[in-house]
Amino acid sequence: GQNIDQPTEMTATEGAIVQINCTYQTSGFNGLFWYQQHAGEAPTFLSYNVLDGLEEKGRFSSFLSRSKGYSYLLLKELQMKDSASYLCAVLDSNYQLIWGAGTKLIIKP
Amino acid sequence: GAVVSQHPSRVICKSGTSVKIECRSLDFQATTMFWYRQFPKKSLMLMATSNEGSKATYEQGVEKDKFLINHASLTLSTLTVTSAHPEDSSFYICSARSVRQGDTGELFFGEGSRLTVL
């Protein structure tokens, strides 16, 4: 079966760095997405990785290792507004998005 | 990035009535649109995938006759919740993707529609 695993909840301090991990087992792979979702709102796109390595975009970076079926989202200089759920999703061989359950990130002052 | 507009953002209806939610891609042609439902404190659940000009593909457990999906043009898909009941109250989100050579396959999401059935 297809499976995406990510921690249910994480807590971090304002100004710090946090890494949210995602492991996946899917039928085929056409890329991995990270989305941010604030409560009551639709998800917004953060990053897309299809090749191994690190993609940096401002305070957010995303890493992918296809051989390990592993990705992480790195958030630096955390701000209170970063409190949200972070969804990992994989595009499988049929171009269907397989979603993780999301990681709720709580930022404390 | 590309813009997907979803309407209405909030709707309240009486039990037994039908509600239509529209999803429009404003600045690109969406060959594929996805409809999701989100239960409280849960992740998104894919309901169906619709390709322009063909019947939607529903996920297991989703009632086709209750959730009617129409993707009549490359910029518009509609979800109609028929004979709504209180248990249909939820947050419904659409997303669109343009599958062309060179596209990342990135999904663009609508703002979501919160349905409350009384």
Side-chain angles (χ1 to χ4, degrees):
Chain A
Q2 310 209 87
N3 195 49
I4 309 268
D5 284 318
Q6 52 182 129
T8 305
E9 187 175 295
M10 298 181 72
T11 303
T13 307
E14 191 177 14
I17 300 174
V18 70
Q19 177 175 311
I20 303 174
N21 295 324
C22 171
T23 57
Y24 63 89
Q25 293 172 307
T26 56
S27 55
F29 179 83
N30 279 300
L32 184 144
F33 295 85
W34 282 97
Y35 284 86
Q36 180 192 60
Q37 185 179 25
H38 287 98
E41 298 179 9
T44 53
F45 171 81
L46 289 179
S47 66
Y48 171 76
N49 294 67
V50 67
L51 300 176
D52 290 347
L54 186 69
E55 296 270 347
E56 297 187 74
K57 197 184 289 186
R59 293 190 298 115
F60 292 7
S61 302
S62 57
F63 171 83
L64 174 67
S65 168
R66 289 172 296 172
S67 62
K68 294 181 180 178
Y70 166 70
S71 171
Y72 67 72
L73 179 70
L74 191 71
L75 294 78
K76 304 176 188 175
E77 301 169 18
L78 286 171
Q79 301 174 8
M80 297 303 292
K81 67 178 183 180
D82 297 330
S83 293
S85 286
Y86 291 85
L87 304 169
C88 170
V90 172
L91 209 57
D92 72 6
S93 55
N94 294 318
Y95 285 93
Q96 297 297 316
L97 260 188
I98 313 299
W99 292 89
T103 299
K104 183 179 180 181
L105 177 63
I106 300 168
I107 310 295
K108 295 185 175 179
Chain B
V3 178
V4 173
S5 176
Q6 191 171 337
H7 177 81
S9 58
R10 293 180 187 275
V11 57
I12 300 173
C13 70
K14 293 182 179 179
S15 186
T17 60
S18 295
V19 174
K20 180 185 283 188
I21 301 170
E22 292 187 347
C23 181
R24 294 180 185 274
S25 55
L26 298 186
D27 52 0
F28 69 103
Q29 293 184 327
T31 50
T32 306
M33 285 188 172
F34 302 89
W35 285 95
Y36 297 86
R37 181 176 178 177
Q38 188 168 35
F39 294 94
K41 300 182 180 180
K42 300 281 187 182
S43 185
L44 298 175
M45 182 192 82
L46 178 65
M47 298 174 66
T49 302
S50 77
N51 294 297
E52 186 266 339
S54 63
K55 290 184 179 179
T57 302
Y58 290 81
E59 297 299 304
Q60 194 172 17
V62 178
E63 298 175 61
K64 301 177 184 180
D65 295 332
K66 180 162 191 63
F67 299 101
L68 300 179
I69 291 172
N70 183 284
H71 193 164
S73 77
L74 284 171
T75 59
L76 174 65
S77 176
T78 60
L79 166 68
T80 302
V81 183
T82 62
S83 187
H85 289 284
E87 56 264 31
D88 297 326
S89 298
S90 189
F91 196 52
Y92 293 89
I93 304 173
C94 75
S95 67
R97 175 161 61 92
S98 172
V99 182
R100 297 174 304 180
Q101 188 175 10
D103 278 351
T104 65
E106 177 184 352
L107 291 189
F108 300 97
F109 285 90
E111 306 94 328
S113 299
R114 184 164 297 284
L115 170 64
T116 303
V117 184
L118 303 177

